[in-house]
């Protein structure tokens, strides 16, 4: 195998750490390279959702997991959510009041957009960020007015689908692992130093003074 | 070449099964035709079914064990990746309701040869002896029909079979033999529980755990990679897949992967005659002298209910009306907080330290039952799930909190939930891809359950604070299901007897977490495996006495 490996943006807190630098080390095995390699290829383009719904989803993702403006390669969060929907019919359960996974997303995105129109007279994607946040907060509180919701619970859609599926997609990406200093894949090589304040040379070094606890 | 990913086509065919210890390798496997009336067909190869398959085969019975899930070779199939490893979980649709709907999927059940033990956290605990007589000795719920001393014997058998690593002497309960392997070194996450427990003046212990602290055969010791709950890619974890099942194959059991059982067939004499199952693109029927259901606390009642027929219109083994009832999760509330030190809780098995203080202390409690709690180490997407579901965080706030990942610590309970008939598994009108009705899982905490987890949250919050953690928050969660085909010594109030044999149909058995009359305050898998070992021995004994096909009557 070539010594080349993919790269991901580093973060302010762990400036010297790119988890992908371990691609060709004993920390990564073939199944992991295959799974993460596929993820790195995903672009922000729909395969499952309609183009219209995908645009709304993309705008929602930008508010749920905002990415630094100076990040060179942004995580294609909406693309990852869309790919999950393409490949998955169920996460193994749903609340009795919620429709199945795919239907929940389709109806929910339509209703969210209509809520934006009812509240602010514009498409969700055309609203400024602050207004978009307001719409999302209203969903989170279950305070919705659009009739497009029908029997779909807005709060349930926000908590179980929007928050869950978007954040899970984001934190499955190596750039997000760099952001939080996660060791990332570790097989066959695991770790030797497992006590507090100790780390192996192949773990992320935290920048001194980067920690502002309790803020 | 067709892809051999384990999920597309069955692997255990043509007289061989995957060798779980070697890439691309095979081990020989005895096979039985569908038309041969085997001694036992077992539905599910997890903690209950896989263990029992081994025991029965070693006792000389002919055994076919089926599982809806794939037959993995961990070394080549398991990625270090949360998203990819979702493939280990039971992701077929289920509907959850009640006041406290239970999160299923990865949180609760596996779909693999080896069952949920392929992704379990390996914590391997014995029940407190008094729990087997909870009603008589402690004044709540019901008694088990099994004596704790007998269980103590079978616990030892399982601990040896799994080469459990544990402390030289365990601080709680009656004497138990030394654990087969020495304890693991303590991780930072585990050390936090230990040092803060000491400040609280309560005991703690290194957790008895089913991952190797020294090599064993072809399995290497644990390398502290910390991905245990999404599958161990090194085989250090001692799951059913790499312990009981290789033994079962050696003893001539057949294991059928990607084999989904839809219905148990009943014959004219009131006996089960075999199972209908779907494998490799078609429906088939396996004849058997005995049928064992071991599909876990949701799929077991689902199968029994879906097998209703003219003779048993309310489902099989259900004259008590209790199939599917008394569903008990365990409460799994947690307290998380922030510390100055770098903890990096992604390393090592998450629960390396434990306290069973509130399992063995009966004073100062305003509730029945008990709880244990353990150190934690969620992987990134699981941790994001905690922050979003417990605190509703998103946007900049979420991103900032996630950045503190390496400084978090947490304690989480395994808490006893008491049986209530209204908590149950039923069938809906909606069908799955096989045409089988989708189950509905209804759950609401009772008053005692709430007092228990509130006590736990108060106590753990105090401990977190004295341990130096701040910015605490509480997570409510559930884990581990049991109770939906309970054992007992009265056919009117239980589904199976102490031998896991159904009262109504003498050649129908249930052997998994569903048989628990109460769940106690410890993780269940060691107890499920101990019960399976006992059942295997009891069946051999009954066969010797010619009692296998005779109807059982209560003593
Ligand atoms: C994330 C997680 C961590 C855990 N950690 C621990 C721990 O640290 N310690 C502990 O003691 N316990 C733990 N548990 C719980 C433990 O894994 C389970 O309680 C135990 O495995 C249950 O055993 P079982 O035999 O009842 O079912 P399972 O082990 O789940 O096996 C059931 C099997 O039956 C198969 N099946 C079901 N229906 C059918 C059908 N109709 N046809 C064919 N096959 C079918 C399924 O595919 C599955 O493989 C954990 C569970 C989870 C989810
Ligand atoms: S920490 Fe140990 S048991 Fe867990 S996945 Fe790694 S090697 Fe396996």
């Amino acid at each position: 195998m070539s010594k080349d490996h993919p790269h991901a943006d580093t973060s302010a807190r762990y400036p010297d750490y790119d988890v992908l630098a371990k691609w060709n080390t004993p920390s990564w095995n073939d199944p992991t390279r295959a799974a993460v390699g596929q993820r790195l290829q995903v672009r922000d383009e729909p395969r499952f959702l309609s183009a219209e719904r995908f645009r709304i989803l993309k705008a929602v993702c930008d508010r749920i997991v905002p990415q630094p403006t100076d990040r060179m390669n942004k995580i294609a969060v909406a693309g990852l959510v869309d790919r999950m929907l393409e490949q998955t019919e169920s996460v193994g359960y749903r609340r009795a009041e919620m429709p199945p996974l795919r239907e929940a997303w389709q109806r929910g995105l339509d209703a969210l957009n209509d809520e934006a129109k009812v509240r602010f007279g514009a498409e969700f994607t055309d609203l400024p960020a602050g207004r978009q946040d307001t719409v999302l907060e209203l969903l989170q509180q279950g305070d919705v007015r659009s009739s497009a919701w029908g029997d779909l619970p807005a709060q349930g859609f926000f908590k179980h689908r929007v928050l869950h599926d978007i954040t899970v997609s984001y934190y499955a990406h190596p750039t997000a692992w760099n952001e939080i200093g996660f060791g990332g894949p570790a097989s066959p090589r695991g770790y030797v130093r497992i006590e507090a304040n100790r780390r192996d040379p192949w773990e992320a070094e935290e920048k001194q003074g980067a920690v502002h606890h309790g803020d | 070449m067709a892809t051999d990913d384990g999920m597309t086509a069955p692997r255990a065919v043509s007289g061989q099964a995957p060798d779980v210890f070697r890439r691309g390798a095979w081990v020989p496997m005895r096979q039985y035709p569908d038309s041969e009336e085997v001694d036992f067909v077992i539905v599910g190869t997890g903690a209950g079914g896989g263990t029992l398959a081994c025991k029965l085969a070693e006792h000389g019975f002919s055994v076919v064990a089926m599982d809806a899930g794939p037959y993995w070779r961990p070394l080549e199939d398991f990625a270090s990746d949360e998203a990819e490893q979702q493939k280990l979980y039971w992701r077929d649709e289920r509907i959850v309701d009640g006041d406290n709907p239970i999160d299923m999927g990865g949180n609760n059940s596996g779909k693999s040869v080896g069952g949920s033990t392929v992704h379990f956290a390996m914590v391997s605990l014995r029940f407190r002896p008094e729990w087997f007589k909870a009603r008589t000795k402690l004044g709540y719920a019901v008694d088990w029909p099994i004596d704790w001393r007998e269980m103590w014997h079978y616990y030892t058998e399982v601990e040896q079979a799994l080469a459990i690593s544990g402390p030289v002497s365990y601080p709680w309960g009656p004497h138990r033999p030394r654990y087969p392997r020495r304890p693991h070194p303590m991780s930072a996450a585990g050390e936090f529980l230990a040092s803060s427990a000491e400040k609280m003046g309560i005991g703690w212990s290194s957790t008895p755990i089913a991952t190797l602290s020294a090599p064993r055969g072809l399995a290497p010791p644990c390398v502290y990679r910390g991905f245990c709950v999404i599958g161990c890619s090194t085989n250090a974890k001692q799951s059913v897949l790499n312990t009981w099942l290789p033994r079962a194959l050696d003893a001539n059991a057949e294991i059928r992967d990607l084999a989904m059982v839809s219905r148990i067939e009943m014959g004219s004499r009131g006996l089960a005659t075999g199972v209908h199952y779907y494998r490799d693109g078609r429906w088939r029927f396996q004849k058997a002298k005995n049928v064992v259901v071991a599909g876990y606390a949701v799929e077991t009642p689902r199968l029994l209910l879906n097998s209703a027929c003219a003779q048993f219109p309310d489902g099989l083994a259900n004259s008590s009306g209790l199939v599917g009832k008394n569903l008990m999760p365990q409460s799994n509330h947690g307290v998380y907080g922030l510390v100055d030190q770098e903890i990096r809780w992604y390393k090592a098995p998450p629960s390396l330290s434990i306290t069973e203080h509130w399992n063995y202390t009966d004073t100062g409690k305003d509730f029945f039952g008990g709880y244990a709690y353990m150190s934690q180490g969620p992987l990134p997407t699981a941790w994001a799930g905690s922050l979003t579901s417990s605190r509703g965080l998103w946007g900049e706030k979420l991103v900032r909190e996630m950045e503190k990942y390496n400084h978090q610590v947490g304690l989480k309970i395994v808490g006893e939930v008491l049986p209530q008939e209204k908590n149950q598994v039923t069938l809906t009108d909606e069908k799955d891809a096989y045409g089988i009705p989708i189950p509905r899982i209804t759950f609401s905490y009772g008053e005692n359950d709430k007092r228990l987890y509130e006590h736990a949250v108060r106590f753990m919050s105090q401990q977190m604070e004295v341990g130096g953690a701040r910015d605490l928050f509480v997570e409510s969660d559930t884990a581990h299901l049991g109770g939906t085909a309970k054992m007992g010594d009265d056919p009117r109030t239980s589904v199976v007897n102490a031998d896991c044999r159904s009262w109504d149909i003498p050649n129908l058995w249930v052997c998994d977490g569903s048989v628990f009359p109460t769940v106690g305050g410890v993780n269940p898998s060691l107890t499920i495996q101990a019960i399976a070992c006992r059942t295997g021995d009891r069946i051999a004994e009954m066969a010797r006495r010619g009692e296998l096909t005779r109807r059982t009557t209560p003593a």
Side-chain angles (χ1 to χ4, degrees):
Chain A
M1 180 175 288
S2 105
K3 277 287 152 203
D4 290 346
H5 61 79
H7 298 271
D9 285 56
T10 54
S11 72
R13 195 169 181 135
Y14 298 96
D16 302 321
Y17 181 65
D18 181 4
V19 65
L20 292 177
K22 294 192 257 187
W23 188 268
N24 288 316
T25 70
S27 288
W28 288 58
N29 61 10
D30 287 338
T32 306
R33 279 186 284 260
V36 178
Q38 265 182 18
R39 195 166 308 146
L40 293 171
Q41 300 302 315
V42 171
R43 299 280 159 267
D44 257 339
E45 291 153 7
R47 279 208 211 151
F48 174 77
L49 291 169
S50 68
E52 164 66 12
R53 289 187 179 125
F54 190 80
R55 273 193 329 121
I56 306 168
L57 171 64
K58 207 165 154 352
V60 173
C61 291
D62 284 341
R63 301 316 305 151
I64 300 295
V65 277
Q67 304 192 44
T69 41
D70 60 352
R71 183 172 281 174
M72 305 281 284
N73 293 298
K74 297 234 170 23
I75 303 177
V77 191
L80 291 169
V81 173
D82 181 81
R83 223 56 98 243
M84 182 276 288
L85 289 172
E86 182 193 41
Q87 287 158 12
T88 320
E89 272 182 73
S90 166
V91 294
Y93 64 103
R94 68 172 203 262
R95 305 245 168 166
E97 67 278 10
M98 293 289 291
L101 178 68
R102 291 171 174 169
E103 188 190 329
W105 265 111
Q106 289 165 329
R107 286 175 54 193
L109 287 169
D110 292 349
L112 181 151
N113 196 35
D114 198 60
E115 190 68 36
K117 290 188 207 157
V118 170
R119 297 279 180 165
F120 298 115
E123 307 265 337
F124 185 80
T125 45
D126 292 337
L127 293 178
R131 285 269 157 96
Q132 289 181 332
D133 283 354
T134 307
V135 173
L136 295 172
E137 277 157 19
L138 291 168
L139 260 62
Q140 187 166 30
Q141 289 148 19
D143 176 11
V144 292
R145 292 192 194 148
S146 160
S147 59
W149 291 103
D151 64 359
L152 177 71
Q155 234 175 344
F157 170 65
F158 186 79
K159 179 171 183 182
H160 303 299
R161 296 280 64 89
V162 172
L163 272 195
H164 179 269
D165 296 345
I166 293 177
T167 56
V168 160
S169 299
Y170 182 82
Y171 286 103
H173 195 281
T175 304
W177 299 341
N178 289 348
E179 196 170 67
I180 66 173
F182 172 49
S187 179
R189 179 176 64 187
Y191 300 102
V192 182
R193 297 162 186 83
I194 60 176
E195 311 88 339
N197 294 324
R198 309 240 8 229
R199 65 182 169 82
D200 288 324
W202 54 93
E203 293 184 77
E205 182 181 357
E206 192 171 51
K207 192 174 157 192
Q208 288 304 309
V211 197
H212 306 289
H213 297 307
D215 55 5
Chain B
M1 203 185 89
T3 48
D4 175 27
D5 61 0
M7 296 177 283
T8 320
R11 281 175 167 171
V13 291
S14 312
Q16 57 183 17
D19 181 344
V20 293
F21 294 108
R22 293 185 177 89
R23 288 187 170 78
W26 303 91
V27 291
M29 180 178 77
R30 167 89 182 260
Q31 284 188 281
Y32 301 87
D34 281 341
S35 57
E36 182 174 334
E37 194 181 42
V38 292
D39 293 328
F40 287 87
V41 63
I42 301 179
V43 184
T45 59
T51 308
L52 184 63
C54 170
K55 291 287 292 195
L56 290 175
E58 288 181 350
H59 279 301
F61 295 104
S62 55
V63 174
V64 172
M66 305 205 190
D67 205 291
Y71 208 138
W72 306 112
R73 288 189 194 92
L75 295 184
E76 66 183 15
D77 293 328
F78 289 178
S80 297
D81 187 73
E82 288 177 275
E84 170 68 13
Q85 293 299 108
Q86 299 293 312
K87 65 190 182 188
L88 302 188
Y89 302 141
W90 191 282
R91 312 242 296 167
D92 303 17
E93 191 81 307
R94 288 156 165 172
I95 309 241
V96 295
D97 67 3
D99 297 343
N100 309 97
I102 298 174
D103 288 352
M104 296 298 300
N107 191 45
N108 245 314
S109 42
K111 188 188 206 175
S112 293
V113 169
S116 305
T117 70
V118 175
H119 61 76
F120 83 149
M122 313 173 299
V123 174
S124 300
L125 304 174
R126 297 181 177 206
F127 261 41
R128 175 179 169 182
E130 287 87 342
W131 291 341
F132 293 103
K133 290 279 175 281
R135 163 64 48 195
T136 317
K137 301 243 160 152
L138 301 166
Y140 69 91
V142 290
D143 288 349
W144 286 57
I146 305 180
D147 187 83
W148 76 270
R149 280 162 295 227
E150 213 186 337
M151 289 299 290
W152 234 237
H153 164 78
Y154 285 106
Y155 280 134
T156 305
E157 177 174 347
V158 179
E159 285 164 358
Q160 296 295 329
L162 306 184
I164 302 288
S165 311
V168 175
S169 68
Y170 195 65
W172 301 281
H175 173 78
R176 59 184 69 178
R178 254 187 99 144
Y179 286 101
R181 300 287 156 109
R182 67 182 150 77
H184 290 276
M186 196 50 74
S187 63
E191 182 56 34
F192 178 82
L193 179 147
S195 58
S196 56
E198 282 176 7
K199 288 183 188 145
M200 291 293 282
I202 62 166
W204 65 275
S205 172
S206 161
T207 309
I209 197 162
T211 180
L212 297 173
S213 58
R216 175 193 206 200
L218 293 167
C222 177
V223 295
Y224 310 111
R225 51 189 286 276
F227 284 86
C228 323
V229 294
I230 58 163
C232 177
S233 59
T234 69
N235 273 322
K237 174 191 286 193
Q238 301 292 283
S239 68
V240 170
L241 176 65
N242 67 7
T243 58
W244 299 106
L245 293 181
R247 276 173 58 180
L249 290 173
D250 278 345
N252 289 323
E254 176 182 349
I255 293 157
R256 285 186 204 154
D257 53 337
L258 302 184
M260 176 69 187
V261 176
S262 66
R263 224 157 49 75
I264 299 161
E265 186 67 35
M266 290 299 300
S268 52
R269 294 186 302 128
L271 294 175
T273 57
V275 299
H276 297 274
Y277 69 103
Y278 189 84
R279 193 182 194 215
D280 216 4
R282 64 190 181 94
W283 285 101
R284 299 159 50 155
F285 180 73
Q286 174 67 52
K287 285 174 84 172
K289 295 194 182 99
N290 291 274
V291 174
V292 182
V293 186
Y296 201 27
V298 175
E299 294 308 310
T300 286
R302 181 187 184 206
L303 179 57
L304 294 173
L305 294 173
N306 193 47
S307 301
C309 56
Q311 196 189 347
F312 297 100
D314 300 324
L316 304 187
N318 200 16
S319 64
S320 64
L322 290 177
V323 169
K325 302 253 170 74
N326 293 309
L327 173 73
M328 289 167 280
Q330 289 178 307
S331 45
N332 194 207
H333 290 62
V335 181
Y336 293 106
L338 191 67
V339 293
D340 289 334
Q341 300 100 296
E342 287 185 16
I343 300 293
R344 298 179 188 262
W345 57 358
Y346 52 82
K347 295 188 278 190
S351 297
L352 281 179
S353 65
I354 182 172
T355 176
E356 281 208 66
H357 177 80
W358 290 108
N359 273 336
Y360 285 85
T361 304
D362 293 321
T363 51
K365 281 175 167 174
D366 59 347
F367 57 88
F368 289 116
Y371 61 86
Y373 53 94
M374 282 144 261
S375 54
Q376 298 299 313
L379 292 168
T381 72
W383 178 236
S386 292
L387 291 178
T388 55
S389 68
S390 301
R391 298 172 62 186
L393 295 184
W394 52 277
E396 280 300 330
K397 273 194 194 140
L398 173 69
V399 173
R400 294 285 86 80
E401 278 305 299
M402 283 297 294
E403 283 182 348
K404 300 172 187 166
Y405 180 69
N406 284 340
H407 292 267
Q408 302 286 167
V409 288
L411 305 173
K412 232 176 160 190
I413 64 167
V414 168
E416 180 155 19
V417 163
L418 300 191
Q420 299 183 70
E421 282 192 24
K422 64 171 190 171
N423 289 330
Q424 57 177 321
V425 176
T426 50
L427 302 182
T428 63
D429 297 332
E430 210 176 306
K431 301 273 169 62
D432 71 5
Y434 302 98
I436 311 171
I438 285 174
R440 174 186 298 271
I441 302 167
T442 306
F443 180 71
S444 309
Y445 281 116
E447 287 312 312
N448 188 77
D449 306 331
K450 291 181 191 163
R451 283 199 299 273
L452 182 147
Y453 69 65
E454 280 161 10
H455 182 280
V457 163
R458 273 195 309 275
F459 193 82
M460 291 190 299
S461 301
Q462 251 182 306
Q463 179 169 337
M464 293 283 290
E465 268 170 23
V466 303
R470 57 186 179 282
D471 299 351
L472 304 189
F473 77 93
V474 175
E475 173 175 55
S476 44
D477 199 357
T478 54
H480 316 142
L481 306 174
T484 49
K486 70 186 275 222
M487 60 161 66
D489 44 27
D490 182 345
R492 288 165 307 179
T493 55
S494 56
V495 177
V496 297
N497 67 15
D499 300 330
C500 293
R501 187 179 205 174
S502 93
W503 292 110
D504 301 343
I505 301 166
N507 70 338
L508 177 64
W509 314 71
V510 177
C511 187
D512 62 12
S514 337
V515 303
F516 283 34
T518 56
V519 291
V522 295
N523 319 47
S525 71
L526 197 79
T527 303
I528 298 173
Q529 292 170 86
I531 289 170
C533 286
R534 180 184 182 278
T535 302
D537 287 356
R538 287 287 302 145
I539 287 174
E541 179 62 23
M542 285 184 269
R544 250 191 309 277
R545 296 207 221 120
E547 291 172 358
L548 259 203
T549 46
R550 245 188 286 142
R551 184 167 289 272
T552 44
T553 39

